[in-house]
Amino acid sequence: MERERRARVFSGIQPSGNLHIGNYLGALKNWVAIQDDYENYFCIVDLHALTVPQDPKELRRKIREVAAIYLAAGLDPGRCVIFRQSRVPAHAELCWLLNGIARFGELSRMTQFKDKTRKEGTESASAGLFDYPVLMAADILLYNAQLVPVGDDQRQHLELTRTLARRFNHLYGETFVVPEPMIMKSGARVMALDDPTEKMSKSSPRPGSYISILDEPDAIRRKVRRAVTDSGTEIKASPEKPAITNLLDIYSATTGRPVEEIEDEYRGRGYGQFKQDLAEAIVEVLSPVRERALALLDDPRGLDELLERGAEKAREVSRPILASAQAKMGL
Ligand code: AMP
Ligand code: TRP
């Protein structure tokens, strides 16, 4: 008897900057947790990285680093297709088709674009940065993915992806699956350690603002110790205490324990012990990932081959979906 096809999952991370605990808790960890239940496509979105200037040598190195971290975090290449976006030309091709139906107005409203151009203005921003969400929609729709596990910052991009899928289906006939976001309650929006009003970001120039997945244990301990806290001494999540709320959220997502339970444990105790225990919880989760990733990076050829095998499979799966979109549009 034929087995029922599993629902498809698609997600990706850009190979730029340093992958941090926000990427781990908001995305990677959840991919690993659900990989048995779905047909999985996990992409290294190198074309997205090109929307801001990259050093070519560094980009090449980062691509392998992300591949190593995917595997080290627990993605199983036997169950997941792991590949680079640029090795599957259909992503850029479908992006162009969708550009025909995406609207200038809706792209102008994307908060990520507005955030990324806040400092320098839009005049010098690349056209790619503006078009970034359309390429992301192409990534997802190209595989008819039903589910997209991401951090909270991608919610708006996912909504646009759904709009574009529906608009295309309406204009040209049923073609794309309308995907659902999968966003966890805890760890979906990790804030910077030195400024809890700002999202923890890979491209931050301040290493103290993030915990990198590849940070050594002592660096993790130091960064947690130096993390800003709020006034008062109470360890309780609340809107007036964004710093401690962030640390509690990280603690909860790292250990799987509810925030209330952690608050109870530290009631009447100071920040010192709390931070020390939090640092150890993070070290316990990230250290094995770091060690496995470093070992995998000793074999760059092996990583390249794995990515190439993934790309072959991704090309095969996406080809008929692109062809169908092209045909429907009259190409
Ligand atoms: P990026 O770093 O933009 O390539 O994002 C890769 C994945 O990590 C996406 O699913 C993001 O939503 C997620 N992510 C990025 N930054 C954070 C953060 N500070 N907290 C939680 N998730 C995040
Ligand atoms: N835009 C995502 C981010 O910055 C990365 C990404 C690109 C992505 N294509 C995707 C995530 C497709 C999920 C699905 O976080």
Side-chain angles (χ1 to χ4, degrees), residues 13-14 20 22-23 26 150-151 153-154 187-188 190 199-200 202:
I13 297 182
Q14 299 183 64
H20 53 65
N23 298 125
V150 282
D153 60 343
Q154 297 304 309
V190 175
K199 194 180 68 174
M200 187 179 283
K202 288 213 225 92

Side-chain angles (χ1 to χ4, degrees), residues 74-209:
L75 291 183
D76 171 3
R79 285 175 286 173
C80 306
V81 181
I82 298 173
F83 68 105
R84 295 168 56 174
Q85 188 185 32
S86 63
R87 299 292 298 135
V88 184
H91 288 246
E93 293 181 62
L94 181 59
C95 176
W96 190 255
L97 301 188
L98 296 176
N99 275 336
I101 63 164
R103 297 175 186 158
F104 181 87
E106 59 201 358
L107 293 180
S108 308
R109 284 191 291 275
M110 293 290 119
T111 53
Q112 184 165 307
F113 178 74
K114 289 196 274 185
D115 284 348
K116 290 199 170 171
T117 54
R118 185 154 294 142
K119 263 197 227 116
E120 318 249 324
T122 51
E123 189 64 22
S124 61
S126 73
L129 194 64
F130 187 68
D131 203 35
Y132 181 112
V134 182
L135 179 58
M136 175 164 164
D139 295 341
I140 298 165
L141 301 183
L142 200 48
Y143 297 87
N144 275 334
Q146 277 106 323
L147 204 62
V148 184
V150 282
D152 185 67
D153 60 343
Q154 297 304 309
R155 200 183 281 279
Q156 195 187 26
H157 287 162
L158 248 298
E159 202 42 61
L160 178 73
T161 302
R162 290 165 55 81
T163 301
L164 294 179
R166 283 198 215 95
R167 188 176 299 152
F168 191 102
N169 290 347
H170 177 73
L171 288 169
Y172 300 107
E174 232 17 73
T175 309
F176 295 121
V177 169
V178 180
E180 299 283 341
M182 176 187 170
I183 299 169
M184 293 293 153
K185 270 209 237 42
S186 69
R189 191 171 179 80
V190 175
M191 308 307 279
L193 296 181
D194 59 350
D195 179 0
T197 63
E198 217 182 81
K199 194 180 68 174
M200 187 179 283
S201 157
K202 288 213 225 92
S203 48
S204 169
R206 310 179 316 268
S209 72

Side-chain angles (χ1 to χ4, degrees), residues 8 27 39 51 64 103 109 140 144 154 212 234 260 312:
R8 282 201 187 135
E39 191 185 321
T51 57
R64 290 198 185 108
R103 297 175 186 158
R109 284 191 291 275
I140 298 165
N144 275 334
Q154 297 304 309
S212 161
E234 212 188 354
E260 300 74 36
E312 260 168 48

Side-chain angles (χ1 to χ4, degrees), residues 197-243:
T197 63
E198 217 182 81
K199 194 180 68 174
M200 187 179 283
S201 157
K202 288 213 225 92
S203 48
S204 169
R206 310 179 316 268
S209 72
Y210 59 82
I211 291 171
S212 161
I213 295 179
L214 298 183
D215 271 345
E216 294 194 15
D218 277 343
I220 295 177
R221 294 187 182 106
R222 193 175 59 245
K223 288 179 184 182
V224 173
R225 201 163 27 197
R226 291 190 187 155
V228 297
T229 43
D230 311 285
S231 55
T233 53
E234 212 188 354
I235 295 168
K236 193 157 180 48
S238 84
E240 300 85 60
K241 288 173 160 275

